[in-house]
Amino acid sequence: MAEITLSPASGLTLPGYLRHVAAGTPAATFVREPDGAELGYAAALEEATAIASGLIALGVGRGDRVHLHLPNSAAFLTHLLAVAEIGAVAVPTSPESSSDELAYVLSHSGCVVSVSSLLGRPAVEEARDLCPDLRDIRGPGELATLGQHRTAAGWPPPDSLDPVAILYTSGTTGWPKGVVITHANLLIAGEVVAGHLRLRPDDRWLVTLPLSHGNALFYSAMSALVTGASMVVCDGLDPAGWVELAGGHGVTVTSFFASGIRRLLASPAHPADRDHTIRAALFGQPLTPAQLSAFETRFGLPLLQIYGMTETVSPVLMNPLYGQRRNDTLGLPVLGYPLRVAGSPDAPGELLVGGTPGVTLMAGYYNAPQLTSRVIDDGWLHTGDQVRLEPDGYVSFVDRQADILKPDTENVSAGEVERVLAEHPSVLEAAVTGAADDDGGQHVVAYVAVRPGEDVTAEELLDHCRVRLSPYKVPKDLHMVADLPRTPTGKVRRHALGGER
């Protein structure tokens, strides 16, 4: 008797999903831009096929890496789908990347073609001399034009376990790592988020985070694709126009980083702040209880804190859409992802995520097998994040292992000090790092951005810490800054603050 082996990844490919939705609802909106321009699913398939033919004309083949240096736009998505169509691998980067950053990513990944916006192209050109594999740089409209003059190549379809993207981590410390993502990875992440949010085809995402990074690509774009839903893609978050944009386009779901929520709270309140149709907003990175309450009260929409990494692809902890939301925690484990907390019972420990590389976990780090084997050991991904299991089953974030300082014999959690500083009513945001002492030790340093119009001194903030922290946790130095340096996804670039971790 013939047997057919089935797995959760069977048949999952981006082109397959796109064709399925385009055949069923060809006129349904896939992506809309803020000016109202729309691209339907059938039109997206046609555009992606033309771009794929253009890539073939440039000699791009299965497994070749293609650089996408594009802002949030319909073009980003159609080029990603075109790369997937021919079994190639997309390497997206932020349009804000410097030439040095691009030189590393392009040379390390071995990209053969770069597709760059007009604004981003000078940095790509500047990096080109250090990228021996890069043969061609094209604008986002050029490949489709090439493809329209060719006969369909009839290329073989990709497999669900084929790599489809390499996302480079933000590089807050050390060189960025290339996280290899498969077709199955992306679509399973989309299914997890779509199921958790109970997405329907008439739902619409507002995407303000960069599609070149995991949150927007994995959670928003992929959940829209697997559901046949739509998205409005914006090149960044505009606090002044956010509600009007969401309301005008009928947005129902969105996603933030904590820094974006703080920016919205810092913007002037308006009587129309609740004039929207959003029913849920995901967010990552911690907020204070006061910030959580202020946001939900002002904007009238529920926040759901979630936890995931580029390496896990899908979120692995999420606060529930229905039932008890504990946004002071990362939420509850999602279906299909076994979790462990390594260490002693009733104490914080490292979060481990179980899964299958290339299916529910990243396939690995590009050209780094030893690093991959250290991070994924016997089917368990070591996140490097310290968490605590609460009695009710929710999981609380404690700190990154890399964010644990050692100024003396005791460890200091950078996150704990940042939380205490953020609780001061004059503080907008704080970042804590470590600096080397003359004797080779380390001391705690804080960088604080103050709310507009507030007048507070560094000594007052240190007094605030002295009341709430053990003496060894109080920063030795505190610097007032206008703003904190960030990665494109909103994470604080601690290495750029002047301290050492």
Side-chain angles (χ1 to χ4, degrees):
M1 179 184 295
E3 294 183 352
I4 300 174
T5 301
L6 299 177
S7 77
S10 297
L12 296 183
T13 68
L14 266 66
Y17 257 90
L18 180 60
R19 282 184 166 78
H20 171 74
V21 180
T25 53
T29 301
F30 175 46
V31 58
R32 177 185 283 187
E33 296 190 339
D35 63 2
E38 284 193 351
L39 189 69
Y41 274 93
L45 174 60
E46 181 179 358
E47 180 77 4
T49 302
I51 295 168
S53 294
L55 289 169
I56 293 288
L58 294 180
V60 177
R62 195 180 190 91
D64 284 339
R65 275 76 62 204
V66 177
H67 178 221
L68 300 183
H69 195 53
L70 301 169
N72 278 15
S73 57
F76 179 99
L77 294 162
T78 54
H79 281 76
L80 173 71
L81 291 164
V83 171
E85 176 79 20
I86 62 174
V89 182
V91 182
T93 56
S94 166
E96 298 176 358
S97 300
S98 69
S99 58
D100 285 350
E101 291 167 329
L102 291 174
Y104 175 77
V105 169
L106 294 173
S107 60
H108 184 265
S109 61
C111 285
V112 296
V113 170
S114 174
V115 183
S116 177
S117 67
L118 186 62
L119 289 176
R121 184 159 181 155
V124 179
E125 294 280 7
E126 192 173 338
R128 188 173 194 170
D129 289 343
L130 298 175
C131 307
D133 298 304
L134 187 60
R135 302 193 302 259
D136 213 331
I137 303 173
R138 295 283 175 152
E142 296 180 47
L143 292 173
T145 302
L146 278 175
Q148 288 170 356
H149 297 292
R150 290 176 54 83
T151 304
W155 49 78
D159 183 78
S160 62
L161 297 182
D162 286 344
V164 69
I166 302 173
L167 270 68
Y168 279 79
T169 57
S170 55
T172 51
T173 56
W175 290 108
K177 303 180 291 290
V179 179
V180 179
I181 306 296
T182 68
H183 289 257
N185 280 150
L186 285 182
L187 294 168
I188 287 174
E191 293 283 6
V192 168
V193 174
H196 191 83
L197 291 178
R198 311 298 195 268
L199 284 190
R200 297 159 44 101
D202 56 358
D203 274 307
R204 175 164 289 166
W205 278 97
L206 176 60
V207 181
T208 59
L209 295 171
L211 286 164
S212 54
H213 290 78
N215 187 301
L217 179 59
F218 301 165
Y219 308 162
S220 301
M222 290 301 109
S223 67
L225 176 61
V226 301
T227 309
S230 61
M231 60 192 118
V232 178
V233 293
C234 307
D235 198 18
L237 174 65
D238 173 19
W242 174 76
V243 169
E244 183 180 359
L245 181 71
H249 288 279
V251 168
T252 60
V253 283
T254 192
S255 184
F256 297 107
F257 282 109
S259 58
I261 290 176
R262 284 190 286 266
R263 287 177 60 203
L264 289 171
L265 288 174
S267 66
H270 192 277
D273 279 342
R274 287 175 170 238
D275 290 351
H276 59 78
T277 53
I278 301 176
R279 60 182 179 85
L282 304 180
F283 80 97
Q285 303 169 355
L287 292 165
T288 66
Q291 290 167 339
L292 289 165
S293 176
F295 185 88
E296 294 201 357
T297 299
R298 176 174 165 182
F299 294 103
L301 67 99
L303 288 170
L304 308 178
Q305 183 167 189
I306 64 173
Y307 170 88
M309 303 170 63
T310 310
E311 288 87 343
T312 66
V313 193
S314 169
V316 297
L317 289 160
M318 303 182 79
N319 267 272
L321 178 64
Y322 304 115
Q324 184 184 22
R325 285 183 289 118
R326 283 198 54 188
N327 283 322
D328 59 325
T329 74
L330 302 173
L332 298 166
V334 304
L335 291 174
Y337 282 88
L339 305 179
R340 290 178 180 171
V341 180
S344 304
D346 303 320
E350 184 185 8
L351 179 65
L352 308 182
V353 181
T356 304
V359 181
T360 53
L361 301 173
M362 68 167 181
Y365 292 120
Y366 186 69
N367 277 350
Q370 292 183 338
L371 178 59
T372 300
S373 64
R374 287 201 301 270
V375 173
I376 302 179
D377 181 17
D378 195 26
W380 291 92
L381 185 143
H382 292 250
T383 66
D385 286 338
Q386 298 284 307
V387 300
R388 180 176 58 253
L389 179 63
E390 304 294 347
D392 58 2
Y394 285 73
V395 177
S396 292
F397 181 80
V398 176
D399 215 329
R400 289 282 299 167
Q401 284 184 348
D403 292 339
I404 294 178
L405 312 177
K406 292 185 70 71
D408 202 349
T409 56
E410 298 285 345
N411 290 340
V412 174
S413 162
E416 180 184 10
V417 182
E418 288 168 353
R419 174 183 57 77
V420 169
L421 283 164
E423 288 172 351
H424 191 285
S426 295
V427 172
L428 177 63
E429 192 171 14
V432 171
T433 184
D437 290 326
D438 293 339
D439 60 2
Q442 191 180 49
H443 62 268
V444 180
V445 182
Y447 297 81
V448 177
V450 176
R451 294 182 182 280
E454 293 288 341
D455 185 15
V456 65
T457 67
E459 191 59 28
E460 286 176 292
L461 295 177
L462 290 172
D463 284 342
H464 172 83
C465 292
R466 292 182 185 113
V467 173
R468 292 160 176 80
L469 294 169
S470 299
Y472 67 90
K473 296 181 180 180
V474 176
K476 182 178 178 180
D477 298 315
L478 191 147
H479 304 281
M480 313 292 275
V481 296
D483 200 2
L484 298 174
R486 301 186 181 282
T487 68
T489 58
K491 295 179 182 178
V492 175
R493 295 171 55 234
R494 287 188 169 91
H495 73 284
L497 289 168
E500 297 177 356
R501 297 310 295 265

